[in-house]
mmCIF file of all heavy atoms in Angstrom:
data_model
loop_
_atom_site.group_PDB
_atom_site.id
_atom_site.type_symbol
_atom_site.label_atom_id
_atom_site.label_comp_id
_atom_site.label_asym_id
_atom_site.label_seq_id
_atom_site.Cartn_x
_atom_site.Cartn_y
_atom_site.Cartn_z
ATOM 1 N N THR A 359 -0.662 24.545 16.537
ATOM 2 C CA THR A 359 -0.174 23.331 15.876
ATOM 3 C C THR A 359 -1.137 22.152 16.075
ATOM 4 O O THR A 359 -1.576 21.550 15.086
ATOM 5 C CB THR A 359 1.254 23.016 16.332
ATOM 6 O OG1 THR A 359 2.097 24.126 15.976
ATOM 7 C CG2 THR A 359 1.786 21.765 15.666
ATOM 8 N N VAL A 382 3.005 10.712 20.345
ATOM 9 C CA VAL A 382 4.335 10.561 20.942
ATOM 10 C C VAL A 382 4.867 11.967 21.186
ATOM 11 O O VAL A 382 5.111 12.729 20.238
ATOM 12 C CB VAL A 382 5.297 9.743 20.055
ATOM 13 C CG1 VAL A 382 6.574 9.419 20.852
ATOM 14 C CG2 VAL A 382 4.642 8.454 19.581
ATOM 15 N N GLY A 383 5.012 12.326 22.461
ATOM 16 C CA GLY A 383 5.421 13.679 22.863
ATOM 17 C C GLY A 383 4.362 14.273 23.782
ATOM 18 O O GLY A 383 3.167 14.127 23.537
ATOM 19 N N ARG A 384 4.825 14.920 24.858
ATOM 20 C CA ARG A 384 3.892 15.477 25.845
ATOM 21 C C ARG A 384 4.184 16.938 26.145
ATOM 22 O O ARG A 384 4.021 17.406 27.281
ATOM 23 C CB ARG A 384 3.949 14.650 27.131
ATOM 24 C CG ARG A 384 5.350 14.578 27.738
ATOM 25 C CD ARG A 384 5.358 13.873 29.078
ATOM 26 N NE ARG A 384 6.708 13.472 29.437
ATOM 27 C CZ ARG A 384 7.035 12.807 30.536
ATOM 28 N NH1 ARG A 384 6.095 12.467 31.385
ATOM 29 N NH2 ARG A 384 8.283 12.471 30.777
ATOM 30 N N SER A 385 4.678 17.670 25.151
ATOM 31 C CA SER A 385 4.987 19.076 25.394
ATOM 32 C C SER A 385 3.706 19.884 25.570
ATOM 33 O O SER A 385 2.637 19.482 25.129
ATOM 34 C CB SER A 385 5.806 19.661 24.250
ATOM 35 O OG SER A 385 4.993 19.834 23.113
ATOM 36 N N ILE A 387 3.166 22.581 24.082
ATOM 37 C CA ILE A 387 2.868 23.237 22.799
ATOM 38 C C ILE A 387 2.159 22.279 21.842
ATOM 39 O O ILE A 387 1.280 22.680 21.088
ATOM 40 C CB ILE A 387 4.187 23.763 22.184
ATOM 41 C CG1 ILE A 387 4.756 24.859 23.080
ATOM 42 C CG2 ILE A 387 3.987 24.257 20.759
ATOM 43 C CD1 ILE A 387 6.142 25.350 22.667
ATOM 44 N N VAL A 388 2.529 21.001 21.891
ATOM 45 C CA VAL A 388 1.948 20.051 20.931
ATOM 46 C C VAL A 388 1.237 18.872 21.616
ATOM 47 O O VAL A 388 0.016 18.734 21.547
ATOM 48 C CB VAL A 388 3.008 19.515 19.941
ATOM 49 C CG1 VAL A 388 2.317 18.719 18.832
ATOM 50 C CG2 VAL A 388 3.865 20.616 19.322
ATOM 51 N N GLY A 389 1.995 17.994 22.271
ATOM 52 C CA GLY A 389 1.445 16.717 22.735
ATOM 53 C C GLY A 389 0.248 16.841 23.652
ATOM 54 O O GLY A 389 -0.808 16.245 23.423
ATOM 55 N N CYS A 410 2.430 9.179 24.774
ATOM 56 C CA CYS A 410 3.715 8.525 25.073
ATOM 57 C C CYS A 410 4.801 9.588 25.235
ATOM 58 O O CYS A 410 4.648 10.720 24.762
ATOM 59 C CB CYS A 410 4.132 7.612 23.925
ATOM 60 S SG CYS A 410 2.916 6.344 23.539
ATOM 61 N N HIS A 411 5.879 9.206 25.883
ATOM 62 C CA HIS A 411 7.009 10.117 26.103
ATOM 63 C C HIS A 411 8.271 9.301 26.300
ATOM 64 O O HIS A 411 8.247 8.079 26.072
ATOM 65 C CB HIS A 411 6.709 11.024 27.305
ATOM 66 C CG HIS A 411 6.145 10.284 28.464
ATOM 67 N ND1 HIS A 411 6.923 9.505 29.277
ATOM 68 C CD2 HIS A 411 4.861 10.132 28.884
ATOM 69 C CE1 HIS A 411 6.159 8.936 30.174
ATOM 70 N NE2 HIS A 411 4.887 9.288 29.956
ATOM 71 N N SER A 412 9.322 9.968 26.726
ATOM 72 C CA SER A 412 10.621 9.256 26.760
ATOM 73 C C SER A 412 10.668 8.155 27.819
ATOM 74 O O SER A 412 11.575 7.328 27.800
ATOM 75 C CB SER A 412 11.755 10.258 26.990
ATOM 76 O OG SER A 412 11.658 10.816 28.280
ATOM 77 N N ARG A 413 9.719 8.135 28.731
ATOM 78 C CA ARG A 413 9.712 7.088 29.761
ATOM 79 C C ARG A 413 8.720 5.958 29.424
ATOM 80 O O ARG A 413 8.525 5.054 30.225
ATOM 81 C CB ARG A 413 9.336 7.671 31.131
ATOM 82 C CG ARG A 413 10.266 8.771 31.593
ATOM 83 C CD ARG A 413 11.601 8.192 32.075
ATOM 84 N NE ARG A 413 12.444 9.252 32.580
ATOM 85 C CZ ARG A 413 13.370 9.872 31.846
ATOM 86 N NH1 ARG A 413 13.543 9.543 30.596
ATOM 87 N NH2 ARG A 413 14.110 10.819 32.362
ATOM 88 N N THR A 414 8.096 6.026 28.292
ATOM 89 C CA THR A 414 7.132 4.992 27.913
ATOM 90 C C THR A 414 7.863 3.667 27.704
ATOM 91 O O THR A 414 8.872 3.623 27.011
ATOM 92 C CB THR A 414 6.391 5.406 26.624
ATOM 93 O OG1 THR A 414 5.652 6.597 26.901
ATOM 94 C CG2 THR A 414 5.430 4.319 26.140
ATOM 95 N N LEU A 417 7.781 1.353 23.560
ATOM 96 C CA LEU A 417 7.068 2.300 22.694
ATOM 97 C C LEU A 417 6.555 1.666 21.403
ATOM 98 O O LEU A 417 5.392 1.900 21.028
ATOM 99 C CB LEU A 417 7.989 3.506 22.407
ATOM 100 C CG LEU A 417 7.410 4.612 21.542
ATOM 101 C CD1 LEU A 417 6.265 5.336 22.261
ATOM 102 C CD2 LEU A 417 8.483 5.622 21.152
ATOM 103 N N ALA A 429 3.270 12.100 15.720
ATOM 104 C CA ALA A 429 4.644 12.142 16.212
ATOM 105 C C ALA A 429 5.060 13.589 16.446
ATOM 106 O O ALA A 429 5.069 14.399 15.518
ATOM 107 C CB ALA A 429 5.580 11.484 15.207
ATOM 108 N N ALA A 430 5.371 13.927 17.699
ATOM 109 C CA ALA A 430 5.839 15.286 18.057
ATOM 110 C C ALA A 430 6.989 15.114 19.042
ATOM 111 O O ALA A 430 6.844 15.366 20.237
ATOM 112 C CB ALA A 430 4.707 16.103 18.648
ATOM 113 N N ILE A 431 8.106 14.673 18.510
ATOM 114 C CA ILE A 431 9.220 14.220 19.345
ATOM 115 C C ILE A 431 10.436 15.148 19.204
ATOM 116 O O ILE A 431 11.128 15.460 20.164
ATOM 117 C CB ILE A 431 9.643 12.782 18.913
ATOM 118 C CG1 ILE A 431 8.408 11.867 18.892
ATOM 119 C CG2 ILE A 431 10.720 12.219 19.822
ATOM 120 C CD1 ILE A 431 8.559 10.651 17.998
ATOM 121 N N GLY A 432 10.701 15.581 17.964
ATOM 122 C CA GLY A 432 11.881 16.414 17.730
ATOM 123 C C GLY A 432 13.128 15.585 17.463
ATOM 124 O O GLY A 432 14.235 16.032 17.738
ATOM 125 N N LYS A 433 12.943 14.352 16.927
ATOM 126 C CA LYS A 433 14.092 13.501 16.567
ATOM 127 C C LYS A 433 13.905 13.013 15.141
ATOM 128 O O LYS A 433 12.892 12.354 14.831
ATOM 129 C CB LYS A 433 14.174 12.305 17.529
ATOM 130 C CG LYS A 433 14.484 12.734 18.933
ATOM 131 C CD LYS A 433 15.010 11.614 19.799
ATOM 132 C CE LYS A 433 15.595 12.190 21.070
ATOM 133 N NZ LYS A 433 15.456 11.311 22.214
ATOM 134 N N PHE A 436 12.522 9.279 13.637
ATOM 135 C CA PHE A 436 12.510 8.413 14.820
ATOM 136 C C PHE A 436 11.513 7.248 14.651
ATOM 137 O O PHE A 436 11.772 6.125 15.069
ATOM 138 C CB PHE A 436 12.139 9.266 16.035
ATOM 139 C CG PHE A 436 12.064 8.521 17.324
ATOM 140 C CD1 PHE A 436 13.202 8.348 18.108
ATOM 141 C CD2 PHE A 436 10.855 8.010 17.785
ATOM 142 C CE1 PHE A 436 13.127 7.663 19.315
ATOM 143 C CE2 PHE A 436 10.787 7.320 18.978
ATOM 144 C CZ PHE A 436 11.926 7.151 19.741
ATOM 145 N N VAL A 451 4.496 15.838 13.097
ATOM 146 C CA VAL A 451 4.609 17.246 13.501
ATOM 147 C C VAL A 451 6.069 17.707 13.459
ATOM 148 O O VAL A 451 6.350 18.889 13.341
ATOM 149 C CB VAL A 451 4.029 17.437 14.928
ATOM 150 C CG1 VAL A 451 4.119 18.888 15.379
ATOM 151 C CG2 VAL A 451 2.571 16.974 14.987
ATOM 152 N N GLY A 452 6.993 16.787 13.515
ATOM 153 C CA GLY A 452 8.407 17.117 13.653
ATOM 154 C C GLY A 452 8.958 17.971 12.501
ATOM 155 O O GLY A 452 8.568 17.803 11.347
ATOM 156 N N ILE A 453 9.833 18.881 12.854
ATOM 157 C CA ILE A 453 10.597 19.649 11.857
ATOM 158 C C ILE A 453 12.046 19.600 12.325
ATOM 159 O O ILE A 453 12.378 20.184 13.357
ATOM 160 C CB ILE A 453 10.128 21.110 11.760
ATOM 161 C CG1 ILE A 453 8.637 21.193 11.407
ATOM 162 C CG2 ILE A 453 10.954 21.875 10.716
ATOM 163 C CD1 ILE A 453 8.083 22.621 11.383
ATOM 164 N N ASN A 454 12.863 18.844 11.614
ATOM 165 C CA ASN A 454 14.271 18.693 12.029
ATOM 166 C C ASN A 454 15.184 18.986 10.843
ATOM 167 O O ASN A 454 14.885 18.582 9.718
ATOM 168 C CB ASN A 454 14.528 17.254 12.473
ATOM 169 C CG ASN A 454 13.524 16.757 13.503
ATOM 170 O OD1 ASN A 454 13.546 17.180 14.649
ATOM 171 N ND2 ASN A 454 12.611 15.876 13.085
ATOM 172 N N ASP A 470 9.679 13.645 12.130
ATOM 173 C CA ASP A 470 10.004 12.666 13.167
ATOM 174 C C ASP A 470 9.711 11.249 12.685
ATOM 175 O O ASP A 470 9.858 10.288 13.456
ATOM 176 C CB ASP A 470 9.161 12.954 14.427
ATOM 177 C CG ASP A 470 9.618 14.210 15.151
ATOM 178 O OD1 ASP A 470 10.719 14.699 14.862
ATOM 179 O OD2 ASP A 470 8.869 14.700 16.021
ATOM 180 N N VAL A 490 2.061 19.484 8.457
ATOM 181 C CA VAL A 490 1.524 20.227 9.610
ATOM 182 C C VAL A 490 2.031 21.677 9.617
ATOM 183 O O VAL A 490 1.306 22.591 10.027
ATOM 184 C CB VAL A 490 1.912 19.507 10.931
ATOM 185 C CG1 VAL A 490 1.452 20.311 12.135
ATOM 186 C CG2 VAL A 490 1.307 18.102 10.957
ATOM 187 N N GLY A 491 3.259 21.896 9.177
ATOM 188 C CA GLY A 491 3.874 23.234 9.241
ATOM 189 C C GLY A 491 2.968 24.352 8.756
ATOM 190 O O GLY A 491 2.677 25.293 9.508
ATOM 191 N N THR A 494 -0.077 25.517 10.980
ATOM 192 C CA THR A 494 0.116 26.281 12.222
ATOM 193 C C THR A 494 -0.205 27.763 12.002
ATOM 194 O O THR A 494 -0.943 28.374 12.785
ATOM 195 C CB THR A 494 1.562 26.075 12.736
ATOM 196 O OG1 THR A 494 1.739 24.683 12.979
ATOM 197 C CG2 THR A 494 1.821 26.839 14.010
HETATM 198 P P1 NDP B 752 9.667 19.010 22.979
HETATM 199 O O1 NDP B 752 11.136 18.781 22.936
HETATM 200 O O2 NDP B 752 9.106 20.041 23.888
HETATM 201 O O3 NDP B 752 8.960 17.626 23.350
HETATM 202 C C1 NDP B 752 9.369 16.416 22.791
HETATM 203 C C2 NDP B 752 8.604 15.276 23.390
HETATM 204 O O4 NDP B 752 9.074 14.068 22.797
HETATM 205 C C3 NDP B 752 8.803 15.155 24.905
HETATM 206 O O5 NDP B 752 7.575 14.924 25.537
HETATM 207 C C4 NDP B 752 9.730 13.940 25.041
HETATM 208 O O6 NDP B 752 9.484 13.170 26.189
HETATM 209 C C5 NDP B 752 9.331 13.129 23.809
HETATM 210 N N1 NDP B 752 10.444 12.244 23.458
HETATM 211 C C6 NDP B 752 11.746 12.585 23.258
HETATM 212 N N2 NDP B 752 12.466 11.477 22.997
HETATM 213 C C7 NDP B 752 11.622 10.445 23.051
HETATM 214 C C8 NDP B 752 11.794 9.047 22.886
HETATM 215 N N3 NDP B 752 12.975 8.492 22.628
HETATM 216 N N4 NDP B 752 10.687 8.245 22.997
HETATM 217 C C9 NDP B 752 9.487 8.781 23.264
HETATM 218 N N5 NDP B 752 9.266 10.114 23.444
HETATM 219 C C10 NDP B 752 10.337 10.922 23.337
HETATM 220 O O7 NDP B 752 9.222 19.254 21.479
HETATM 221 P P2 NDP B 752 7.916 20.000 20.852
HETATM 222 O O8 NDP B 752 6.680 19.309 21.259
HETATM 223 O O9 NDP B 752 8.033 21.460 21.043
HETATM 224 O O10 NDP B 752 8.208 19.719 19.291
HETATM 225 C C11 NDP B 752 8.238 18.412 18.765
HETATM 226 C C12 NDP B 752 8.599 18.487 17.300
HETATM 227 O O11 NDP B 752 7.585 19.206 16.602
HETATM 228 C C13 NDP B 752 9.912 19.237 16.984
HETATM 229 O O12 NDP B 752 10.524 18.625 15.864
HETATM 230 C C14 NDP B 752 9.444 20.631 16.605
HETATM 231 O O13 NDP B 752 10.358 21.276 15.743
HETATM 232 C C15 NDP B 752 8.162 20.314 15.918
HETATM 233 N N6 NDP B 752 7.180 21.413 15.955
HETATM 234 C C16 NDP B 752 6.570 21.713 14.774
HETATM 235 C C17 NDP B 752 5.629 22.698 14.725
HETATM 236 C C18 NDP B 752 4.944 22.974 13.442
HETATM 237 O O14 NDP B 752 4.489 24.065 13.219
HETATM 238 N N7 NDP B 752 4.798 21.979 12.583
HETATM 239 C C19 NDP B 752 5.299 23.538 15.916
HETATM 240 C C20 NDP B 752 5.915 23.051 17.131
HETATM 241 C C21 NDP B 752 6.852 22.041 17.124
HETATM 242 P P3 NDP B 752 9.812 13.728 27.693
HETATM 243 O O15 NDP B 752 8.693 14.675 28.009
HETATM 244 O O16 NDP B 752 9.783 12.495 28.528
HETATM 245 O O17 NDP B 752 11.148 14.397 27.620
#
Side-chain angles (χ1 to χ4, degrees):
T359 300
V382 190
R384 57 175 164 182
S385 73
I387 295 173
V388 189
C410 303
H411 45 76
S412 67
R413 302 285 183 265
T414 297
L417 181 67
I431 308 157
K433 295 199 167 148
F436 179 87
V451 181
I453 302 176
N454 309 289
D470 289 345
V490 176
T494 300

